[in-house]
Amino acid sequence: VYGLTENTTLRQLNDGNGVFVGNDIGSDRYDFRITLDREGADELVVDVNIGSVYDEEYEEIEGPVSSVGGVIDRINEAIEAAIAEANDNGATHDYTGEVVASISDGRIVITNNSLRDIDITEKDSTGTTAEQLGILKDTSGSITGDRILAGLNTTLLSSINGGGGVSGDGDISFGALAL
């Protein structure tokens, strides 16, 4: 069976086009941001880095992830760190265990048990990491990512038309060919 698993490499995603990982350096680098509405309190902001991890002296202490499982681990680690920091700073609500990333039905899922608004954005206007992971979304409740791995001998619709996908209403009409 061919499907998205923790062992799927990032290079296999998006019909072999992979996932963009920024190459900037520093202990505060990240690729995309998850923002969780904290209902009247400050938002919980989670910066997710799937690239190289650096210490305060700009020494690389961990390389970039190469698999979907690595992405899931980095998302969950970043969520846990943001929650711990918020709790240390006197947060009015403890989100421990309420937000977690996983793989389900061949997609990346960010389960938001608090059912509050969740927004995933790129680091800046040139970033495409969250989009290429299929999770660039803004919604209430949980996020179910887009399909990012085609089946055997198939192509993702998002890859058709030079990566522009199917436009319009998605209906495809086959008319008679005049000779």
Side-chain angles (χ1 to χ4, degrees), residues 114-126:
S114 68
L115 301 179
R116 291 184 172 82
D117 292 341
I118 187 169
D119 183 24
I120 300 181
T121 56
E122 300 290 359
K123 177 180 180 177
D124 56 37
S125 62
T126 62

Side-chain angles (χ1 to χ4, degrees), residues 36-38 41-42 44 79-99 112-114 116:
L36 185 67
D37 177 19
R38 293 179 63 188
D42 293 333
L44 181 66
I79 290 169
E80 290 172 15
I83 290 170
E85 182 179 341
N87 289 341
D88 289 346
N89 292 330
T92 57
H93 182 80
D94 183 0
Y95 284 93
T96 303
E98 289 189 11
V99 182
N112 175 7
N113 293 320
S114 68
R116 291 184 172 82

Side-chain angles (χ1 to χ4, degrees), residues 132-155:
Q132 291 170 349
L133 290 170
I135 57 173
L136 185 66
K137 298 179 184 280
D138 180 8
T139 189
S140 292
S142 297
I143 289 179
T144 300
D146 298 330
R147 189 167 163 212
I148 54 176
L149 182 69
L152 284 175
N153 298 320
T154 65
T155 301

Side-chain angles (χ1 to χ4, degrees), residues 4 12 15-16 21 52 58 65 96 112 115-116 131 167 177:
L4 188 73
Q12 291 175 275
D15 288 331
V21 178
S52 294
Y58 298 99
V65 300
T96 303
N112 175 7
L115 301 179
R116 291 184 172 82
E131 178 183 14
S167 61
L177 186 63

Side-chain angles (χ1 to χ4, degrees), residues 3-169:
L4 188 73
T5 69
E6 290 186 351
N7 296 323
T8 303
T9 66
L10 296 183
R11 281 194 260 168
Q12 291 175 275
L13 303 180
N14 301 306
D15 288 331
N17 292 312
V19 173
F20 173 79
V21 178
N23 59 5
D24 49 327
I25 64 171
S27 59
D28 60 348
R29 80 161 307 284
Y30 68 96
D31 295 291
F32 59 92
R33 174 172 283 168
I34 302 171
T35 306
L36 185 67
D37 177 19
R38 293 179 63 188
E39 198 172 274
D42 293 333
E43 295 175 321
L44 181 66
V45 176
V46 179
D47 290 337
V48 180
N49 172 12
I50 66 169
S52 294
V53 177
Y54 296 89
D55 63 16
E56 296 296 326
E57 287 80 40
Y58 298 99
E59 295 292 325
E60 183 179 36
I61 56 176
E62 188 177 346
V65 300
S66 60
S67 68
V68 175
V71 170
I72 298 299
D73 290 344
R74 290 275 184 96
I75 292 172
N76 287 328
E77 290 165 5
I79 290 169
E80 290 172 15
I83 290 170
E85 182 179 341
N87 289 341
D88 289 346
N89 292 330
T92 57
H93 182 80
D94 183 0
Y95 284 93
T96 303
E98 289 189 11
V99 182
V100 65
S102 62
I103 300 169
S104 179
D105 291 330
R107 300 163 193 264
I108 295 176
V109 175
I110 302 191
T111 303
N112 175 7
N113 293 320
S114 68
L115 301 179
R116 291 184 172 82
D117 292 341
I118 187 169
D119 183 24
I120 300 181
T121 56
E122 300 290 359
K123 177 180 180 177
D124 56 37
S125 62
T126 62
T128 59
T129 307
E131 178 183 14
Q132 291 170 349
L133 290 170
I135 57 173
L136 185 66
K137 298 179 184 280
D138 180 8
T139 189
S140 292
S142 297
I143 289 179
T144 300
D146 298 330
R147 189 167 163 212
I148 54 176
L149 182 69
L152 284 175
N153 298 320
T154 65
T155 301
L156 295 171
L157 282 177
S158 59
S159 295
I160 294 175
N161 194 23
V166 177
S167 61
D169 60 9

